[in-house]
Amino acid sequence: MDVDLLIIGAGSGNSVPAPEMDGWRIAIVERSSFGGTCLNRGCIPSKMFIYAAEVRQIVREAERFGIEASAGAVHWPAIRDRVFGRIDPIAASGAEYRKSLPNISVHEGDARFVGERTIEVNGERITGERVVLAAGARSFIPPVTGLNDVAFHTSDSIMRIEELPRHLIILGGGFIAAELGHVFEALGSKVTIINRGNALLQQEDADISTRFTELSAKRFDLVLGATINEVRNHHRKDIAVEVTNANGSRTITGDCLLVATGRVPNGDELAVKVGGVALDERGRVVIDAYGRTSAPGVWALGDIVGRHQLKHMANADVRVIRHNLLHPDDLWLIDDGRAAPHAVFTSPQIGAVGLTEAQAVAAGVEHVAVTHDYANAAFGWALEDTTSFVKLIGDPTTGRLHGAHVIGPQAANLIQLLVQGMHLGATVEQLAKGQIYIHPALTEVVEQALLKLLDAMGR
Ligand SMILES: Cc1cc2nc3c(=O)[nH]c(=O)nc-3n(C[C@H](O)[C@H](O)[C@H](O)COP(=O)(O)OP(=O)(O)OC[C@H]3O[C@@H](n4cnc5c(N)ncnc54)[C@H](O)[C@@H]3O)c2cc1C
């Protein structure tokens, strides 16, 4: 079968077809559900669970505000079914819609390259004049002794389990461990997090990671700087994890194990090299400034390229690649220099954009950093907040921001103010003084932090 456009992966890849392509024959190959990781087992279900967890957390902490409340029982199957009752039909209708279009064929199966711009799926060969690789990433399973002999979960399966774990053991200390640990602890499970590093969320600015680790130690059993010696079945239903760290060796037993030790791109499973597509040393598809791989006519986007592993960045890639497919003589840059923002929807929330302080030091750029506590802002008093803060890193020469980091309630929303400022090229002075901040909204903590930075930069 020959097509004008072959798309592998119906996550972000499913958004590539545009009305201008109605005259093209398009083949979409998907081995699982339409909507990909984000819709089916990533961003969307995890945030729906997180909202339920937050409702329970608010009830649990109501007493601080003079309200007597009891969190009561958690009906896990009801929470789970509400989430997937909403999501699963969206995935199914996405597939049905594509199948209904006259110029699009949907191929449900595993694609593998067998030649230049040619894949095989369910025994059929498909050659695309243009090919878009959008096959995403999968959970990395570390080589731990005994791991493959026990029934462990990854983020793909844990959100669909039958009952709330009594004791969830999580391997890993990144955003998935932080978000899902938050969900299960808030809903009533005991949670142990075992991490190789000495802090959680080590990709964040060090001040944020340190604060998050301190606060997490109050909620979770944290085993940091850990080496996992062995994982094995314990009694009838439990799993035992043997770990060693600076405090010695111990055996942790729980009834559920989540492996959240990172994600690896799927280029190898697609055998992209057979199609002439180069991978880097970390298995990521190599692309040029316009999203082209090393194989002529083959483009790549999202997690298979692995620059960010964030849905909004995969969506941004889609917009560029769609344009570039349609306008080969007027190519857009895949990376237009705008900093990629992100959030971690754990508790407390984290939002960040641009350089961390350590990155500013490593890059040798002139910089000034300030932190400012939520406790200084009127809404921080309303929240009874004593642990949240905004950290800003400014460039004293240009008067602009290098980076911004927030840990605390609404961090994912607050950071957007600063993302917008950075994307529009605003100076710290313009951001601080060029607009009127609503009183006494939480955004005042950002205003105060910006004024503090302006002062510290001597501007
Ligand atoms: C638990 C979790 C929470 C997350 N939360 C957030 C968040 O809050 N915000 C955020 O921005 N990002 C989040 N992410 C990341 C986000 O989900 C990904 O960055 C995004 O889904 C990447 O999109 P993609 O299209 O590149 O890949 P995917 O969405 O993974 O799509 C790839 C598709 O390709 C298919 N495929 C793979 N191999 C083959 C093959 N050989 N043949 C056929 N089909 C194939 C897959 O089945 C899949 O449907 C989260 C991820 C996880 C795991």
Side-chain angles (χ1 to χ4, degrees):
M1 178 179 191
D2 285 343
V3 294
D4 300 300
L5 173 60
L6 166 61
I7 299 168
I8 304 168
S12 314
N14 187 40
S15 304
V16 171
E20 298 93 312
M21 298 174 185
D22 280 354
W24 293 11
R25 281 159 307 145
I26 300 175
I28 301 179
V29 189
E30 172 55 60
R31 69 177 174 189
S32 177
S33 307
F34 264 56
T37 304
C38 181
L39 176 68
N40 296 291
R41 45 195 178 272
C43 338
I44 296 181
S46 61
K47 268 79 254 183
M48 291 176 81
F49 281 107
I50 283 166
Y51 187 73
E54 277 171 13
V55 169
R56 189 155 196 271
Q57 213 180 12
I58 288 170
V59 176
R60 215 163 55 170
E61 293 172 7
E63 213 176 301
R64 264 192 321 136
F65 301 92
I67 297 164
E68 208 177 293
S70 148
V74 167
H75 302 289
W76 168 262
I79 298 174
R80 181 200 59 198
D81 294 348
R82 181 185 71 87
V83 171
F84 292 108
R86 187 77 181 264
I87 289 170
D88 291 346
I90 300 175
S93 65
E96 287 316 309
Y97 171 67
R98 283 299 181 214
K99 286 176 191 168
S100 73
L101 298 176
N103 65 321
I104 296 189
S105 59
V106 173
H107 306 261
E108 291 166 323
D110 236 302
R112 278 185 81 79
F113 272 86
V114 290
E116 264 180 39
R117 289 180 288 104
T118 303
I119 57 122
E120 199 169 272
V121 55
N122 302 329
E124 183 183 7
R125 287 193 172 208
I126 307 176
T127 301
E129 190 181 328
R130 311 159 186 87
V131 179
V132 174
L133 306 179
R138 63 185 183 275
S139 298
F140 169 69
I141 308 302
V144 170
T145 306
L147 187 57
N148 285 322
D149 300 325
V150 303
F152 67 85
H153 288 277
T154 66
S155 57
D156 288 353
S157 56
I158 187 111
M159 291 182 255
R160 293 188 189 249
I161 55 178
E162 287 303 320
E163 54 187 38
L164 199 63
R166 187 174 20 86
H167 182 181
L168 172 65
I169 302 171
I170 302 179
L171 309 187
F175 85 93
I176 294 176
E179 291 189 349
L180 293 175
H182 164 47
V183 167
F184 286 101
E185 194 278 340
L187 293 180
S189 302
K190 176 180 177 183
V191 174
T192 297
I193 298 183
I194 302 172
N195 191 30
R196 192 172 51 179
N198 285 315
L200 301 179
L201 298 180
Q202 284 185 299
Q203 270 142 353
E204 300 298 330
D205 184 272
D207 287 338
I208 302 278
S209 164
T210 302
R211 176 61 52 88
F212 182 71
T213 307
E214 288 164 2
L215 294 172
S216 294
K218 297 180 182 161
R219 292 181 73 190
F220 310 121
D221 171 23
L222 284 192
V223 189
L224 301 176
T227 303
I228 303 164
N229 307 318
E230 189 190 4
V231 174
R232 58 184 144 73
N233 287 311
H234 180 72
H235 292 316
R236 270 193 314 152
K237 282 180 78 182
D238 282 1
I239 292 169
V241 181
E242 279 192 21
V243 286
T244 303
N245 70 358
N247 300 326
S249 295
R250 59 187 271 218
T251 303
I252 300 158
T253 56
D255 58 333
C256 190
L257 178 66
L258 170 65
V259 176
T261 45
R263 292 177 62 76
V264 287
N266 283 333
D268 55 348
E269 289 191 344
L270 268 179
V272 293
K273 284 183 180 172
V274 178
V277 174
L279 300 177
D280 71 9
E281 69 293 344
R282 287 165 58 189
R284 302 177 300 187
V285 169
V286 178
I287 54 167
D288 71 4
Y290 305 104
R292 294 178 294 204
T293 71
S294 56
V298 182
W299 306 71
L301 61 88
D303 282 10
I304 198 167
V305 176
R307 291 176 311 151
H308 305 291
Q309 297 207 343
L310 290 164
K311 178 60 176 168
H312 46 270
M313 299 312 293
N315 289 343
D317 289 355
V318 166
R319 289 191 283 275
V320 172
I321 298 235
R322 188 197 292 134
H323 170 92
N324 290 351
L325 288 167
L326 288 163
H327 305 95
D329 298 327
D330 169 33
L331 296 181
W332 284 356
L333 289 170
I334 196 108
D335 192 349
D336 61 6
R338 290 182 297 181
H342 72 269
V344 186
F345 295 82
T346 178
S347 179
Q349 243 179 41
I350 290 161
V353 59
L355 298 185
T356 63
E357 194 171 357
Q359 286 168 338
V361 171
V365 292
E366 251 200 291
H367 66 278
V368 173
V370 298
T371 58
H372 191 73
D373 290 342
Y374 277 36
N376 292 309
F379 208 87
W381 311 342
L383 294 170
E384 284 290 331
D385 192 281
T386 55
T387 56
S388 306
F389 63 87
V390 175
K391 176 168 181 176
L392 300 179
I393 299 155
D395 181 337
T397 312
T398 63
R400 291 193 165 82
L401 283 172
H402 281 309
H405 309 268
V406 184
I407 180 166
Q410 300 297 331
N413 292 331
L414 291 183
I415 200 72
Q416 197 68 42
L417 284 174
L418 300 161
V419 174
Q420 188 172 10
M422 286 175 76
H423 283 189
L424 296 177
T427 61
V428 174
E429 183 169 14
Q430 285 168 331
L431 279 168
K433 298 182 176 172
Q435 59 183 318
I436 294 169
Y437 285 80
I438 293 169
H439 178 73
L442 194 49
T443 44
E444 282 184 336
V445 71
V446 174
E447 178 191 24
Q448 292 167 359
L450 287 162
L451 289 168
K452 195 173 190 178
L453 179 63
L454 206 53
D455 200 36
M457 293 195 303
R459 294 179 72 99

Coordinates of all heavy atoms in Angstrom, one line a residue, residues 81-118:
D81 N -13.6 4.4 38.1 CA -14.6 4.3 37.0 C -15.1 5.6 36.5 O -15.4 5.8 35.4 CB -15.8 3.4 37.5 CG -15.3 1.9 37.7 OD1 -14.2 1.6 37.3 OD2 -16.1 1.2 38.3
R82 N -15.1 6.6 37.4 CA -15.5 8.0 37.0 C -14.4 8.4 36.0 O -14.7 9.0 34.9 CB -15.5 8.9 38.1 CG -15.9 10.4 37.8 CD -15.9 11.3 38.9 NE -14.5 11.6 39.4 CZ -13.7 12.6 38.8 NH1 -14.2 13.3 37.9 NH2 -12.5 12.8 39.3
V83 N -13.1 8.2 36.3 CA -12.0 8.7 35.4 C -12.1 8.0 34.1 O -12.2 8.6 33.0 CB -10.7 8.4 36.1 CG1 -9.5 8.7 35.2 CG2 -10.5 9.2 37.4
F84 N -12.1 6.6 34.1 CA -12.0 5.9 32.8 C -13.4 5.9 32.1 O -13.4 5.7 30.9 CB -11.4 4.5 33.0 CG -9.9 4.7 33.4 CD1 -9.5 4.4 34.7 CD2 -9.0 5.2 32.5 CE1 -8.2 4.6 35.0 CE2 -7.7 5.4 32.8 CZ -7.2 5.1 34.1
G85 N -14.4 6.0 32.8 CA -15.8 6.2 32.2 C -15.8 7.4 31.3 O -16.5 7.5 30.3
R86 N -15.0 8.4 31.7 CA -15.0 9.6 30.9 C -14.0 9.5 29.7 O -14.2 9.9 28.6 CB -14.5 10.7 31.9 CG -14.5 12.1 31.3 CD -15.9 12.7 31.3 NE -16.0 14.0 30.7 CZ -16.0 15.1 31.5 NH1 -16.0 15.0 32.8 NH2 -16.0 16.3 30.9
I87 N -12.8 8.9 30.0 CA -11.7 8.8 29.1 C -11.9 7.8 28.0 O -11.7 8.1 26.8 CB -10.4 8.6 29.8 CG1 -10.0 9.8 30.7 CG2 -9.3 8.2 28.9 CD1 -8.9 9.5 31.6
D88 N -12.2 6.6 28.4 CA -12.2 5.5 27.4 C -13.1 5.7 26.2 O -12.7 5.5 25.0 CB -12.6 4.1 28.1 CG -11.5 3.7 29.0 OD1 -10.4 4.2 29.0 OD2 -11.8 2.8 29.9
P89 N -14.3 6.3 26.4 CA -15.1 6.6 25.2 C -14.5 7.6 24.3 O -14.7 7.6 23.0 CB -16.4 7.2 25.8 CG -16.5 6.7 27.2 CD -15.1 6.6 27.6
I90 N -13.7 8.5 24.8 CA -13.0 9.5 24.0 C -12.0 8.8 23.0 O -11.9 9.1 21.8 CB -12.3 10.6 24.8 CG1 -13.3 11.3 25.7 CG2 -11.6 11.6 23.9 CD1 -12.7 12.3 26.7
A91 N -11.3 7.9 23.6 CA -10.3 7.2 22.8 C -11.0 6.4 21.7 O -10.6 6.4 20.5 CB -9.5 6.2 23.7
A92 N -12.1 5.7 22.1 CA -12.8 4.9 21.1 C -13.4 5.8 20.0 O -13.3 5.4 18.8 CB -13.9 4.1 21.8
S93 N -14.0 6.9 20.4 CA -14.6 7.7 19.4 C -13.6 8.4 18.5 O -13.8 8.7 17.3 CB -15.6 8.8 20.0 OG -14.9 9.7 20.7
G94 N -12.4 8.7 19.0 CA -11.3 9.2 18.2 C -10.9 8.2 17.1 O -10.8 8.6 15.9
A95 N -10.9 7.0 17.4 CA -10.5 5.9 16.4 C -11.7 5.8 15.4 O -11.4 5.8 14.2 CB -10.3 4.6 17.1
E96 N -12.9 5.8 15.9 CA -14.0 5.7 15.0 C -14.1 6.8 14.0 O -14.4 6.6 12.8 CB -15.4 5.6 15.8 CG -15.6 4.3 16.5 CD -15.2 3.1 15.6 OE1 -15.7 3.0 14.5 OE2 -14.4 2.2 16.1
Y97 N -13.8 8.0 14.5 CA -13.9 9.2 13.6 C -12.8 9.1 12.5 O -13.2 9.3 11.3 CB -13.6 10.5 14.4 CG -13.4 11.7 13.6 CD1 -14.5 12.2 12.8 CD2 -12.1 12.3 13.5 CE1 -14.3 13.3 12.0 CE2 -12.0 13.4 12.6 CZ -13.0 13.9 11.9 OH -12.9 15.0 11.1
R98 N -11.6 8.7 12.9 CA -10.6 8.6 11.8 C -11.0 7.5 10.8 O -10.8 7.7 9.6 CB -9.2 8.2 12.5 CG -8.5 9.4 13.1 CD -8.2 10.5 12.1 NE -7.5 11.6 12.7 CZ -7.7 12.9 12.3 NH1 -8.6 13.2 11.4 NH2 -7.0 13.8 12.9
K99 N -11.5 6.4 11.3 CA -11.9 5.3 10.4 C -13.0 5.7 9.4 O -13.2 5.2 8.3 CB -12.4 4.1 11.2 CG -11.3 3.3 11.9 CD -11.8 2.2 12.7 CE -10.8 1.6 13.7 NZ -11.4 0.7 14.7
S100 N -13.8 6.7 9.9 CA -14.9 7.1 9.0 C -14.5 8.1 7.9 O -15.3 8.4 7.0 CB -16.0 7.9 9.9 OG -15.5 9.2 10.2
L101 N -13.3 8.5 7.9 CA -12.8 9.5 6.9 C -12.4 8.8 5.6 O -11.7 7.8 5.7 CB -11.7 10.4 7.4 CG -12.1 11.2 8.6 CD1 -10.9 12.0 9.2 CD2 -13.2 12.2 8.3
P102 N -12.8 9.2 4.4 CA -12.6 8.5 3.2 C -11.1 8.4 2.8 O -10.7 7.5 2.2 CB -13.4 9.3 2.1 CG -13.6 10.6 2.7 CD -13.7 10.5 4.2
N103 N -10.3 9.4 3.2 CA -8.9 9.4 2.8 C -8.0 8.9 3.8 O -6.8 8.8 3.6 CB -8.5 10.9 2.4 CG -8.4 11.8 3.7 OD1 -9.3 11.7 4.5 ND2 -7.4 12.6 3.8
I104 N -8.5 8.4 5.0 CA -7.7 7.9 6.0 C -7.9 6.4 6.3 O -9.1 6.0 6.4 CB -7.8 8.7 7.3 CG1 -7.4 10.2 7.1 CG2 -7.1 8.1 8.5 CD1 -7.4 11.0 8.3
S105 N -6.8 5.6 6.4 CA -7.0 4.2 6.8 C -6.3 4.1 8.1 O -5.2 4.6 8.4 CB -6.4 3.3 5.7 OG -5.0 3.6 5.6
V106 N -7.0 3.3 9.0 CA -6.4 3.1 10.4 C -5.9 1.6 10.4 O -6.7 0.7 10.0 CB -7.5 3.4 11.4 CG1 -7.0 2.9 12.8 CG2 -7.9 4.8 11.4
H107 N -4.7 1.4 10.9 CA -4.1 0.1 11.0 C -3.8 -0.2 12.4 O -3.0 0.5 13.0 CB -2.9 0.0 10.1 CG -3.1 0.4 8.7 ND1 -3.4 -0.5 7.7 CD2 -3.3 1.7 8.2 CE1 -3.6 0.2 6.6 NE2 -3.6 1.5 6.8
E108 N -4.6 -1.2 13.0 CA -4.4 -1.4 14.4 C -3.4 -2.6 14.6 O -3.7 -3.7 14.4 CB -5.8 -1.8 15.0 CG -6.7 -0.6 15.1 CD -8.2 -0.9 15.3 OE1 -8.7 -1.9 14.8 OE2 -8.8 0.0 16.0
G109 N -2.2 -2.2 15.0 CA -1.1 -3.2 15.2 C 0.2 -2.5 15.4 O 0.3 -1.3 15.4
D110 N 1.2 -3.4 15.5 CA 2.6 -2.9 15.8 C 3.3 -2.7 14.5 O 3.4 -3.6 13.7 CB 3.3 -4.1 16.5 CG 3.8 -3.7 17.8 OD1 4.6 -2.8 17.9 OD2 3.4 -4.3 18.8
A111 N 3.8 -1.4 14.4 CA 4.5 -1.1 13.1 C 6.0 -1.4 13.3 O 6.6 -1.1 14.4 CB 4.3 0.4 12.8
R112 N 6.6 -1.9 12.3 CA 8.1 -2.1 12.3 C 8.6 -1.7 10.9 O 8.0 -2.0 9.9 CB 8.5 -3.5 12.6 CG 8.5 -3.9 14.0 CD 9.0 -5.3 14.2 NE 10.5 -5.4 14.2 CZ 11.2 -5.1 15.2 NH1 10.7 -4.7 16.3 NH2 12.6 -5.2 15.1
F113 N 9.8 -1.0 10.9 CA 10.3 -0.6 9.6 C 10.9 -1.8 8.9 O 11.6 -2.7 9.6 CB 11.4 0.5 9.8 CG 10.9 1.9 9.8 CD1 10.4 2.4 11.0 CD2 10.8 2.6 8.6 CE1 9.9 3.7 11.0 CE2 10.3 3.9 8.6 CZ 9.8 4.4 9.8
V114 N 10.7 -1.9 7.6 CA 11.3 -3.0 6.8 C 12.1 -2.4 5.7 O 12.7 -3.1 4.9 CB 10.2 -3.9 6.3 CG1 9.6 -4.8 7.4 CG2 9.1 -3.2 5.5
G115 N 12.1 -1.1 5.6 CA 12.9 -0.4 4.5 C 12.7 1.1 4.6 O 12.0 1.6 5.5
E116 N 13.2 1.8 3.5 CA 13.1 3.2 3.5 C 11.6 3.7 3.4 O 10.9 3.2 2.5 CB 13.7 3.8 2.2 CG 15.1 4.2 2.4 CD 15.7 4.7 1.1 OE1 15.0 5.3 0.3 OE2 16.9 4.4 0.9
R117 N 11.2 4.4 4.4 CA 9.8 5.0 4.5 C 8.7 3.9 4.4 O 7.6 4.1 4.0 CB 9.6 6.0 3.4 CG 10.3 7.3 3.6 CD 10.1 8.4 2.5 NE 10.8 8.0 1.3 CZ 10.2 7.5 0.2 NH1 8.9 7.4 0.2 NH2 10.9 7.2 -0.9
T118 N 9.2 2.6 4.7 CA 8.3 1.5 4.6 C 8.2 0.7 5.9 O 9.2 0.4 6.5 CB 8.7 0.5 3.5 OG1 8.8 1.3 2.3 CG2 7.8 -0.6 3.3

